[in-house]
Amino acid sequence: MATASTSAPEFASAPLLRVNAVTRLYGERTGCRDVSFDLHQGEVLAIAGESGSGKTTLLNCIAGRSRPTAGTVEYNLRHEGLRDIYRLSEARLRLLARTDWGFVHQNPRDGLRIDVSAGANVGERLMAIGDRHYGRIRDTTEDWMHRVELDTSRIDDAPATFSGGMQQRLQIARNLVTHPRLMFMDEPTASLDVSVQARLLDLLRGLASELGLAAIVVTHDLAVARLLAHRLLIMKSGQVVESGLTDQVLDDPQHPYTQLLVSSVLQA
Amino acid sequence: MTADLMVRVRGLSKTFVLHHQNGARLPVLDCVDLDVQRGECVVLHGPSGAGKSTLLRSLYANYRIQHGSVEIHHAGKWVNLADAAPRELLAVRAQTVGYVSQFLRVIPRVPALELVAQPLLGAGVARRDAESRAGALLARLNVPAKLWSLPPATFSGGEQQRVNIARGFISRFPVLLLDEPTAALDSANRAVVADMIDDARREGAAIVGIFHDDEVRSRVATRLHPLAALPEAA
Ligand SMILES: Nc1ncnc2c1ncn2[C@@H]1O[C@H](COP(=O)(O)OP(=O)(O)OP(=O)(O)O)[C@@H](O)[C@H]1O
Ligand SMILES: [Mg+2]
């Protein structure tokens, strides 16, 4: 029964991402240990836990930026199904990261080229996948600036002249322009004022559901997890101590550490 | 009549363990059985702390099911919330089970009308239709039209509660869970909500609710399900 028509829905019901027993050691120290989960299309997963608990280490392993010491990260390639990303050629992995994935850094300066124009920051990702049509690139860029609520008249200004919130929205536009299926975000709102955070969160929420994006969001802020994520993993000392639907984990925490986290915040 | 059965709870037990209160154990539910059919409104009845909200939250998989099973008739088959995968739980919530809590969870910047329309928009209903249905519900609940375009963060308790009710009723869920939806309402609006509950039930919803107000309770209940407070653990 290996016809195209029967195999297609099989791909669709397979997870987009499969993280299997991922461990990353730094010499003697543990970055993260034995983490496993599946992520399906359209699911937003938050990873929470105190600083130093291994959240960013795990994110970097999953996003192809840091090879795990043990375990595998499989991604559902279009037409090929689940493949171990660390067994792809380097060029292929780089292309994947540039097209099918996005990575939003905590500090927008790590995700933007701060001295070239806002428009070039967005257009660059399109050119990287071979688009050479200047007018079309500019139109698409303006469209994405608009969708992340940036003033398109600032298209030729360098992001160095933008506020932190604007830079963060530009970073998001830069990532979304290639229509990725999976976004990685490391504390996307942590560097922003509270008032700006709400706006960015609302924008991210809307875009994720509109575009059917899957996302993995690292955050230490449980309110961010509550607002953005369907599912939540709680990490402590490099290990996942609890996971479930976000509201389950926050409203009926089981592990002592989760109970402590939840009871230490005012209201999530 | 089994074709009309929507909720089937068997042997549901729940004990909270408070790790930071010297591991105190708080038994709340002990071997609860409950069946709810289409066209029924079962009201959970018992003193404060008896576990009414705990049971209701378990029917939404908001609280974890430790022992026993909670099965929901979803998309033509039975799904046991105790062992369903996260995405199955999300599908059950998107299509079959709606939950209206006492308090609205405000989302920054999102206006009332949008908040009410969201469940329909998420299900792929056209924006115009979703917004017109949202407007009709808000109007029925006497939420002044001038508030519809504002985020509810600044609304009164009763206004927020009515926005929440509109959001909960917009999808016509086959199973509807209501935790004191009328607590902050005046008698005129309580009567509107009671009418809406009756309408949903007649249209075939299976409803489980908690109502402290005697009048509302006797008005909407087709049956009471008693819950008693459990003795403290030894
Ligand atoms: N997430 C939780 N963690 C720990 N204990 C909880 C939790 N939720 C409820 N409880 C405890 O379980 C018991 C039952 O609470 P529940 O809210 O179900 O009662 P209720 O019957 O709805 O009461 P009321 O009529 O006052 O709303 C209470 O002792 C409560 O403190
Ligand atoms: Mg209660």
Side-chain angles (χ1 to χ4, degrees):
Chain A
M1 295 292 274
T3 63
S5 61
T6 57
S7 63
E10 224 166 275
F11 280 136
S13 65
L16 187 63
L17 182 78
R18 172 162 284 165
V19 176
N20 188 29
V22 163
T23 294
R24 178 72 167 87
L25 305 174
Y26 298 110
E28 294 288 277
R29 282 190 311 117
T30 300
C32 63
R33 187 180 291 275
D34 199 21
V35 178
S36 300
F37 64 86
D38 282 356
L39 188 75
H40 288 263
Q41 193 184 343
E43 280 184 340
V44 178
L45 175 89
I47 302 174
E50 280 174 355
S51 79
S53 58
K55 305 184 295 285
T56 300
T57 299
L58 175 61
L59 191 72
N60 284 331
C61 284
I62 300 169
R65 304 162 72 89
S66 163
R67 184 181 286 275
T69 312
T72 57
V73 178
E74 293 172 282
Y75 181 69
N76 199 334
L77 290 168
R78 301 178 202 245
H79 316 299
E80 284 174 61
L82 285 171
R83 295 279 306 273
D84 183 344
I85 61 167
Y86 287 100
R87 302 183 81 159
L88 300 174
S89 72
E90 206 149 296
R92 192 106 194 260
L93 183 57
R94 218 177 312 123
L95 184 68
L96 196 61
R98 248 194 241 149
T99 56
D100 229 24
W101 297 351
F103 198 107
V104 174
H105 295 262
Q106 173 168 5
N107 185 342
R109 286 170 181 262
D110 295 333
L112 291 172
R113 294 213 289 142
I114 210 75
D115 44 353
V116 307
S117 74
N121 266 281
V122 179
E124 199 176 57
R125 284 240 322 181
L126 285 174
M127 285 164 63
I129 57 170
D131 200 332
R132 290 285 178 272
H133 189 287
Y134 178 78
R136 192 171 52 219
I137 291 175
R138 194 163 171 103
D139 287 350
T140 309
T141 300
E142 282 191 357
D143 180 42
W144 274 103
M145 285 182 72
H146 181 71
R147 289 175 79 166
V148 300
E149 301 169 19
L150 283 172
D151 182 355
T152 48
S153 72
R154 303 286 302 266
I155 190 168
D156 295 317
D157 297 351
T161 68
F162 287 8
S163 72
M166 288 165 67
Q167 289 179 359
Q168 205 54 311
R169 277 177 279 139
L170 183 67
Q171 197 189 174
I172 289 164
R174 173 183 162 94
N175 276 285
L176 290 181
V177 70
T178 56
H179 298 284
R181 293 192 293 167
L182 176 58
M183 286 277 271
F184 302 98
M185 297 187 240
D186 193 359
E187 303 275 8
T189 59
S191 63
L192 306 175
D193 291 341
V194 178
S195 60
V196 184
Q197 278 186 13
R199 182 166 176 207
L200 189 80
L201 282 174
D202 183 36
L203 181 80
L204 282 173
R205 233 172 58 87
L207 287 170
S209 76
E210 201 179 302
L211 305 171
L213 268 180
I216 300 180
V217 186
V218 163
T219 180
H220 66 274
D221 185 340
L222 297 180
V224 169
R226 170 88 80 176
L227 207 59
L228 276 185
H230 303 112
R231 293 162 57 195
L232 176 58
L233 302 184
I234 303 289
M235 290 188 74
K236 179 183 191 302
S237 314
Q239 272 170 298
V240 174
V241 294
E242 186 161 356
S243 67
L245 297 182
T246 304
D247 61 276
Q248 276 179 339
V249 175
L250 297 180
D251 295 340
D252 188 15
Q254 306 289 307
H255 191 276
Y257 179 69
T258 317
Q259 290 188 355
L260 188 66
L261 268 189
V262 170
S263 65
S264 341
V265 294
L266 289 175
Q267 207 211 21
Chain B
M1 287 302 277
T2 45
D4 284 341
L5 194 61
M6 293 300 291
V7 178
R8 191 162 65 191
V9 179
R10 290 294 177 270
L12 177 64
S13 300
K14 177 85 176 169
T15 296
F16 291 103
V17 180
L18 310 176
H19 289 287
H20 300 283
Q21 326 276 323
N22 303 313
R25 297 174 62 82
L26 210 66
V28 175
L29 301 176
D30 180 30
C31 243
V32 172
D33 292 345
L34 175 67
D35 284 343
V36 190
Q37 318 245 351
R38 288 183 171 280
E40 272 197 300
C41 177
V42 177
V43 173
L44 306 180
H45 192 46
S48 178
K52 303 181 295 294
S53 297
T54 300
L55 173 54
L56 203 67
R57 286 166 176 264
S58 304
L59 303 184
Y60 197 59
N62 171 235
Y63 279 6
R64 305 210 190 229
I65 295 146
Q66 282 165 334
H67 299 287
S69 61
V70 172
E71 291 174 289
I72 304 285
H73 196 71
H74 163 75
K77 59 184 200 322
W78 287 97
V79 176
N80 183 1
L81 304 186
D83 55 24
R87 55 201 294 258
E88 283 181 283
L89 296 176
L90 293 170
V92 167
R93 290 180 180 185
Q95 294 160 35
T96 304
V97 184
Y99 175 80
V100 181
S101 65
Q102 190 173 334
F103 301 104
L104 177 68
R105 199 171 278 285
V106 179
I107 302 171
R109 291 211 313 154
V110 179
L113 187 75
E114 171 81 16
L115 209 54
V116 175
Q118 264 174 3
L120 287 188
L121 293 170
V125 173
R127 177 165 286 276
R128 264 188 53 216
D129 299 340
E131 286 186 352
S132 91
R133 188 156 156 70
L137 277 167
L138 288 171
R140 184 171 183 190
L141 286 156
N142 302 307
V143 178
K146 64 176 192 299
L147 295 182
W148 297 1
S149 58
L150 304 176
T154 58
F155 291 10
S156 76
E159 285 162 353
Q160 292 197 3
Q161 191 164 46
R162 281 176 280 151
V163 170
N164 205 28
I165 291 166
R167 182 180 158 96
F169 276 78
I170 198 166
S171 301
R172 303 175 197 272
F173 285 113
V175 178
L176 206 46
L177 310 173
L178 309 170
D179 195 344
E180 301 192 43
T182 57
L185 303 185
D186 57 30
S187 62
N189 282 310
R190 276 205 300 272
V192 173
V193 176
D195 281 342
M196 288 172 60
I197 294 169
D198 278 345
D199 289 353
R201 187 174 58 70
R202 285 202 202 90
E203 284 169 19
I207 301 174
V208 186
I210 302 169
F211 301 93
H212 278 203
D213 183 271
D214 292 334
E215 207 183 302
V216 176
R217 183 168 55 234
S218 51
R219 164 75 205 282
V220 301
T222 57
R223 172 159 73 89
L224 296 183
H225 182 90
L227 278 178
L230 296 182
E232 301 260 323

